[in-house]
Amino acid sequence: ERDYRDHHFDAGWPLLSVIVPTFNTPPAMLDDLLDSLSRQIYPRWEACITDDASTAPGVTGLIEGWCAREDRFRLQRRSQNGGIAQASNDALARARGDFVAFVDHDDRLAPHALLLVAEEIRRGGRPGLLYSDSDELSPAGERCNPFFKPDWNYELFLGQNYLNHLSVFRRDLVEEVGGLRPHFDRSQDYDLALRVVEKLDPAEIVHLPHILYH
């Protein structure tokens, strides 16, 4: 495999911080996510992983093993369980990129996901929010139920969180609205996006019409 780390992408390309809260994740699913991150074509990323005091055996060891092999994985362990929003905020506090991508601990990114995000950011226009199409994985690992999303539609978004994942936000906007709110756990992504889009012009919200998230 070609090594893209220094060959194509200089410091003018954005650093993307991937926010990964984990809690008692089935090891096979967590391994699948971390493997999909390690296989990204685009090299300028970091994964800010916050384990929310997992008690299931194997979770911490699995993450530590990946961190030993991949220096772009950055692990923090909470001593007490605080919920997904708090764990995500802890990861956000350690993010160094100008853009943050939120992923769930039991999903998978397409190998070209972060590359298409970075290319769109480089294209100009200073986007504030980017989102992609997605699909689902069957228990056997087969891709199914593709979700081909529309371009930005404010009225539709008020009725349902059709953005979901993959969503990438400009970090300063997330900080401006105060990050995720723990009392909205389970709807924390929707709550965050609702507050962020109020800060943006429609032209700053970019739909990437590709299935980048499984």
Side-chain angles (χ1 to χ4, degrees):
E1 295 184 2
R2 295 184 64 178
D3 184 354
Y4 288 87
R5 292 190 183 213
D6 300 312
H7 190 68
H8 286 294
F9 305 99
D10 58 27
W13 287 77
L15 173 65
L16 305 177
S17 296
V18 183
I19 305 303
V20 187
T22 65
F23 176 70
N24 288 350
T25 318
M29 293 183 177
L30 180 57
D31 190 61
D32 203 22
L33 168 64
L34 300 181
D35 181 66
S36 75
L37 283 169
S38 74
R39 295 177 181 273
Q40 289 299 300
I41 295 172
Y42 184 68
R44 290 185 54 79
W45 59 266
E46 61 176 3
C48 299
I49 306 168
T50 297
D51 184 68
D52 198 19
S54 287
T55 56
V59 172
T60 300
L62 175 63
I63 301 173
E64 289 177 341
W66 272 105
C67 289
R69 300 193 299 273
E70 172 55 74
D71 59 10
R72 290 173 290 185
F73 289 139
R74 303 173 57 219
L75 172 62
Q76 173 192 33
R77 288 188 296 272
R78 289 179 52 84
S79 59
Q80 293 183 326
N81 182 266
I84 187 171
Q86 186 58 59
S88 298
N89 282 336
D90 288 354
L92 278 166
R94 296 180 292 118
R96 298 174 293 190
D98 289 332
F99 289 82
V100 292
F102 291 87
V103 304
D104 283 338
H105 60 167
D106 52 359
D107 294 336
R108 181 194 302 165
L109 285 178
H112 57 300
L114 298 184
L115 175 62
L116 294 191
V117 170
E119 286 181 336
E120 183 62 38
I121 294 169
R122 284 271 292 186
R123 195 165 285 123
R126 191 168 165 74
L129 169 59
L130 308 95
Y131 65 96
S132 78
D133 297 343
S134 62
D135 61 15
E136 297 179 355
L137 296 171
S138 74
E142 298 171 332
R143 291 173 54 186
C144 56
N145 299 330
F147 183 13
F148 300 107
K149 303 172 187 177
D151 289 342
W152 175 240
N153 184 319
Y154 181 68
E155 288 77 15
L156 178 61
F157 186 61
L158 291 179
Q160 67 177 103
N161 181 18
Y162 75 85
L163 304 189
N164 203 19
H165 298 307
L166 176 68
S167 290
V168 181
F169 296 80
R170 218 170 62 224
R171 183 163 60 93
D172 65 318
L173 290 171
V174 176
E175 293 172 347
E176 181 181 347
V177 301
L180 293 100
R181 297 193 287 192
H183 52 287
F184 282 96
D185 269 358
R186 297 181 181 269
S187 297
Q188 74 286 341
D189 291 338
Y190 193 17
D191 172 63
L192 174 65
L194 282 166
R195 288 178 285 131
V196 167
V197 300
E198 298 298 335
K199 305 287 185 181
L200 296 171
D201 292 327
E204 297 176 290
I205 303 173
V206 178
H207 173 215
L208 300 172
H210 305 272
I211 295 179
L212 302 182
Y213 193 88
H214 315 299

